[in-house]
Amino acid sequence: MRLPTHLLRQHGRANLQRCFATVVQERRTPQTVIEKVVQKYAVGMPQGKAVKAGDYVMIRPEHVMTHDNTGPVISKFNSIGATKIHNPAQPVFTLDHDVQNKSPKNLAKYASIEAFARKQGVDFYPAGRGIGHQVLVEEGYAFPHTLTVASDSHSNMYGGVGCVGTPIVRTDAAALWATGKTWWQVPRMVKVELKGKLAPGVTGKDVIVALCGSFNQDEVLNAALEFTGDGVAALAVDDRLTIANMTTEWGALVGVFPVDETLLQWYDRVLAKLELRTFSNPKSPSGIPPPPEHPRINRKRLDALRATTLQSDKDAEYSSHLVFDLSTLVPHVSGPNSVKVSTPLPVLEEANIKIQKAYLVSCTNSRVSDIAAAAAVMKGNKVAPGVEFYIAAASSAVQQESERLGDWDTLILSGAKVLPAGCGPCIGLGVGLLEEGETGISATNRNYKGRMGHPKAQAYLASPAVVAASAVKGYICGPASLDPAALPPVKAPTFSISNTPSSSAASVTSLDEPLYSGFPTKFAGPLLFAPQDNLNTDGIYPGKYTYRDDITLEGQAEVVMENYDPAFAGLVAEKRKVFAPFDGAVKEGVILVAGYNFGTGSSREQAATALKAAGVPLVVAGSFGDIFKRNAINNGLVCLESPELVSDLTERYAKDGKRGAGGKNGELTVDMGMTMEVGMKDGKAVVITASNNEGKTYDMRPVGASVQELWVCGGLEGFILKEIQAEARV
């Protein structure tokens, strides 16, 4: 698959440093370690060009993982005319999300995915083997100094072992299957310096919860994070995996820890276990042959890694430098219902917040050390009356090891309810979900409203030890082993940030972009305003519908924005009755304007397709979650940014002039009879108010020809089909 012809102009001329790849001058071009890894996997680049932040590149990642969403990817793969996976060693299938669902329909779905894997020669891990991200780390698909992607937003987790992991979407996965490649914009680089050492009882979960709460103004939104500093060495690999996993919730696209002695020794221990899979002893002539060499975690590969000195150049460029002092951190709890709110545990303990559910599940904190920490708290105790405590190991290998250590049985004897190794409650699937009015505490990664159950439930996030202690006491609290005297003072941890000026922050000016043939000259229609920042994909398209593969586009349109505003779908449906068909020039539809970081959260592409199906061809926001923007581009939904428009609408129509509390009359979606026209050639947007028919003009950066071409093709799927057909004619 070739890159669309004008991809380098996608973000306009105002950002001149963004191009297909940055030219290496006569002198060396400084790069971060992340840029260097991406360089290894960039293809089709002219000789002598170096990858830099902001570049659009074609990548051929080491691996691409899909899970329960493999079914829809197969459909896309077939629909674009592909018949054979380009490189069967590249994809990995892991069934992990809806593993509690034993209905004939779901079992048939799982069987069809397995059959496709066998036919194509793809590595396949069935339901029960574990959560895909954990499996990829255990089996070495996510390996230091490689680039591995997944059709799931928590692929950031691979950064815990020094692998550049980043999310893609289903259509990208189909493109990778068909061609081995897809497009990617290299994110801006942010250095996160961790100083000092954690106090006893403080964990990696506390670190990332506090980071999300301390830097909660989108400081790392859509960035690639490089963790550095003297504090990193003392963090165990499990802590690093937890932190990297939740850089997704922090807003980043990548979160990478260094390949240091701590990680190398961890791999030595992993390899030693692999070498003991039989009773053979290389030092004793027992006659028992040694086990076969693991294809990805083996001595040759680890020796090569040890001999590699891949690290960031001293003069590498970062957009920001964040500093966080680990020694000032006490255990923290996230929530309720927001990762941007984190509170010191001692403060919440005083509030005596009663809980009804507790969870030790997910790819975030259900590894062997997490289960051991919870078991140490639960030993000799029982789950409190009126509390349900659910546990699920991150993988079958984790559960087996925890059983061997006795920790698994300790949890069961204490009254914990066992779920299969998989996502389950974390994604809002299966038994044990939060009911209306309930409060839960979880060692998972997300506590968005409605994600783990009813929208009117309260969800908190904490470390495994805190979750276990809360399950025992019946309210949010820390374990008895937590010594207050060994902790720093209970106050906000010490942190700071410095920003590097960048031309990408230049003000938007009117541009005159050429239009791809067949792309609208303008978008026009009624304007609806959702005065809300961080409107996540669960709010746009509820998780309970995500894995209903039979739901039609019309069905998606009927439930769009349901978790944010149940009235939204009906409001749009009423307005779309008067839209004229696209005449080749003007595309009519509802124009949705929202706040900042619109579409943050999971990688479900239905958040984009549902809006488009409902009759929203254009979304304008202060900024977008990158994974949503990627889904939108791949499915022909246009996204534009206009902080000025968002500011004006907030001041005029939002309650108290602030986003997050609905409109002045309490409505979640503001409809004041406004209309909007956006010229796609010059980026001029005119908003007309119904009260006085007056208009105000805003300058926006229009989308470039690459996005326009994808729109004309109906999205990336149609573009790939065109490419396959073109190659067939050659």
Side-chain angles (χ1 to χ4, degrees):
M1 187 183 92
R2 65 177 175 85
L3 194 68
T5 51
H6 302 287
L7 200 50
L8 61 88
R9 289 183 293 180
Q10 181 164 335
H11 283 259
R13 302 186 186 111
N15 192 0
L16 297 178
Q17 91 272 19
R18 294 193 173 195
C19 54
F20 181 70
T22 305
V23 179
V24 176
Q25 305 298 326
E26 293 182 1
R27 66 180 181 83
R28 173 189 56 82
T29 301
Q31 291 177 302
T32 68
V33 67
I34 296 170
E35 290 167 335
K36 290 180 179 181
V37 171
V38 177
Q39 182 91 46
K40 290 167 52 179
Y41 291 91
V43 296
M45 293 176 58
Q47 177 118 14
K49 291 193 173 184
V51 166
K52 292 289 289 180
D55 290 345
Y56 282 89
V57 294
M58 289 296 292
I59 55 171
R60 182 179 286 123
E62 189 89 2
H63 295 287
V64 51
M65 185 270 280
T66 56
H67 42 66
D68 292 35
N69 56 23
T70 303
V73 178
I74 292 173
S75 298
K76 287 183 178 293
F77 180 78
N78 292 333
S79 71
I80 59 181
T83 58
K84 184 178 180 181
I85 286 181
H86 180 80
N87 175 14
Q90 188 182 42
V92 185
F93 298 170
T94 62
L95 301 182
D96 60 6
H97 272 51
D98 202 13
V99 295
Q100 296 179 43
N101 184 354
K102 300 300 177 64
S103 68
K105 184 176 182 180
N106 195 55
L107 292 178
K109 169 185 171 179
Y110 280 4
S112 67
I113 292 173
E114 182 173 6
F116 181 84
R118 303 305 180 203
K119 178 182 178 182
Q120 296 286 342
V122 171
D123 286 359
F124 171 82
Y125 294 88
R129 173 60 182 87
I131 302 173
H133 303 304
Q134 179 70 18
V135 171
L136 259 63
V137 171
E138 289 178 354
E139 297 290 346
Y141 297 103
F143 196 80
H145 295 162
T146 65
L147 171 64
T148 285
V149 302
S151 184
D152 187 277
S153 58
H154 286 105
S155 47
N156 290 23
M157 189 181 104
Y158 313 149
V161 292
C163 170
V164 177
T166 196
I168 55 152
V169 295
R170 298 178 182 184
T171 309
D172 294 315
L176 283 162
W177 292 3
T179 68
K181 303 176 291 184
T182 193
W183 66 272
W184 194 51
Q185 185 183 20
V186 184
R188 63 189 177 95
M189 301 289 141
V190 172
K191 180 186 289 187
V192 181
E193 182 180 355
L194 302 178
K195 300 174 64 176
K197 188 176 181 179
L198 293 174
V202 186
T203 70
K205 183 58 163 280
D206 299 306
V207 173
I208 188 60
V209 165
L211 284 170
C212 290
S214 299
F215 299 100
N216 58 6
Q217 300 299 316
D218 296 337
E219 290 91 343
V220 302
L221 181 63
N222 298 334
L225 311 182
E226 179 186 341
F227 288 95
T228 67
D230 60 76
V232 169
L235 291 174
V237 172
D238 280 2
D239 283 325
R240 299 179 186 192
L241 289 166
T242 295
I243 294 169
N245 180 288
M246 281 191 62
T247 58
T248 300
E249 279 65 47
W250 199 9
L253 297 176
V254 174
V256 176
F257 279 84
V259 178
D260 59 4
E261 193 57 30
T262 299
L263 179 65
L264 292 171
Q265 290 180 10
W266 182 83
Y267 271 111
D268 285 338
R269 293 191 293 272
V270 171
L271 183 58
K273 288 183 179 180
L274 290 172
E275 291 172 342
L276 292 174
R277 283 176 292 168
T278 69
F279 291 102
S280 65
N281 185 345
K283 297 182 180 179
S284 174
S286 63
I288 301 175
E293 182 180 76
H294 194 282
R296 290 165 299 277
I297 303 177
N298 51 65
R299 178 53 58 193
K300 181 179 179 181
R301 201 177 188 194
L302 292 182
D303 287 345
L305 182 64
R306 259 196 167 88
T308 303
T309 56
L310 195 65
Q311 55 187 335
S312 295
D313 297 321
K314 291 184 178 180
D315 51 350
E317 297 176 353
Y318 300 89
S319 64
S320 301
H321 180 186
L322 281 57
V323 180
F324 192 85
D325 190 342
L326 299 178
S327 67
T328 65
L329 182 64
V330 301
H332 269 60
V333 177
S334 172
N337 294 356
S338 173
V339 295
K340 294 202 170 200
V341 177
S342 65
T343 306
L345 174 62
V347 175
L348 282 186
E349 281 185 316
E350 293 177 358
N352 194 31
I353 300 172
K354 298 289 192 297
I355 66 165
Q356 289 76 46
K357 299 248 172 56
Y359 306 90
L360 181 62
V361 301
S362 88
C363 55
T364 313
N365 275 120
S366 287
R367 284 173 277 279
V368 173
S369 63
D370 302 315
I371 293 168
V377 175
M378 300 296 292
K379 193 166 188 176
N381 294 304
K382 292 288 185 179
V383 174
V387 175
E388 296 175 357
F389 182 29
Y390 294 90
I391 61 172
S395 73
S396 59
V398 167
Q399 183 169 335
Q400 289 169 5
E401 179 66 7
S402 296
E403 289 173 347
R404 185 186 70 81
L405 294 171
D407 296 326
W408 195 253
D409 285 343
T410 296
L411 295 178
I412 295 173
L413 290 172
S414 297
K417 298 183 177 183
V418 177
L419 300 175
C423 300
C426 180
I427 187 65
L429 296 172
V431 301
L433 303 187
L434 289 170
E435 302 292 339
E436 182 175 2
E438 287 188 332
T439 297
I441 188 164
S442 174
T444 53
N445 43 42
R446 286 188 177 146
N447 56 352
Y448 301 150
K449 183 177 74 171
R451 176 178 172 85
M452 295 185 69
H454 200 280
K456 292 184 179 180
Q458 300 283 300
Y460 293 84
L461 304 179
S463 69
V466 171
V467 169
S470 303
V472 169
K473 294 292 186 180
Y475 62 91
I476 296 177
C477 65
S481 60
L482 193 62
D483 182 7
L487 296 175
V490 179
K491 59 181 182 180
T494 302
F495 62 93
S496 63
I497 182 172
S498 60
N499 294 313
T500 302
S502 171
S503 59
S504 63
S507 60
V508 178
T509 57
S510 179
L511 301 171
D512 191 8
E513 284 286 329
L515 293 181
Y516 188 84
S517 177
F519 189 72
T521 59
K522 68 170 61 175
F523 286 82
L527 184 157
L528 295 179
F529 178 43
Q532 180 70 46
D533 291 341
N534 306 303
L535 210 166
N536 59 68
T537 49
D538 284 282
I540 301 169
Y541 191 81
K544 61 185 177 182
Y545 304 116
T546 302
Y547 295 100
R548 281 182 50 188
D549 295 340
D550 59 344
I551 193 167
T552 63
L553 287 174
E554 291 78 9
Q556 291 183 22
E558 291 172 358
V559 299
V560 67
M561 302 281 273
E562 183 177 273
N563 272 352
Y564 170 70
D565 180 3
F568 181 87
L571 185 60
V572 175
E574 186 63 29
K575 292 182 178 297
R576 69 179 298 177
K577 294 177 181 178
V578 299
F579 297 154
F582 179 50
D583 61 2
V586 179
K587 175 63 177 178
E588 293 186 0
V590 169
I591 298 176
L592 174 62
V593 180
Y596 285 79
N597 200 18
F598 182 85
T600 185
S602 68
S603 59
R604 67 194 64 166
E605 70 175 351
Q606 297 100 319
T609 58
L611 281 169
K612 183 181 176 183
V616 179
L618 172 65
V619 180
V620 180
S623 62
F624 290 90
D626 190 84
I627 198 72
F628 174 85
K629 185 167 67 173
R630 187 172 190 93
N631 272 318
I633 290 173
N634 284 349
N635 286 282
L637 176 67
V638 177
C639 297
L640 299 178
E641 295 184 359
S642 179
E644 183 185 4
L645 173 59
V646 172
S647 177
D648 283 355
L649 294 181
T650 300
E651 181 179 356
R652 178 174 289 190
Y653 299 112
K655 185 177 180 180
D656 300 324
K658 297 178 181 179
R659 292 182 297 277
K664 290 185 175 180
N665 299 317
E667 71 276 38
L668 294 172
T669 304
V670 177
D671 178 17
M672 299 300 294
M674 293 175 285
T675 59
M676 186 173 180
E677 291 186 356
V678 186
M680 301 311 295
K681 187 174 178 63
D682 60 6
K684 295 288 186 183
V686 180
V687 176
I688 300 174
T689 58
S691 57
N692 51 20
N693 207 32
E694 291 182 355
K696 181 175 179 179
T697 300
Y698 299 85
D699 287 323
M700 302 182 189
R701 183 174 292 125
V703 296
S706 60
V707 178
Q708 297 171 17
E709 185 176 3
L710 290 177
W711 190 94
V712 171
C713 291
L716 180 60
E717 184 176 339
F719 176 81
I720 298 170
L721 175 60
K722 187 178 75 170
E723 292 290 297
I724 292 176
Q725 292 172 340
E727 290 178 4
R729 290 194 294 267
V730 174

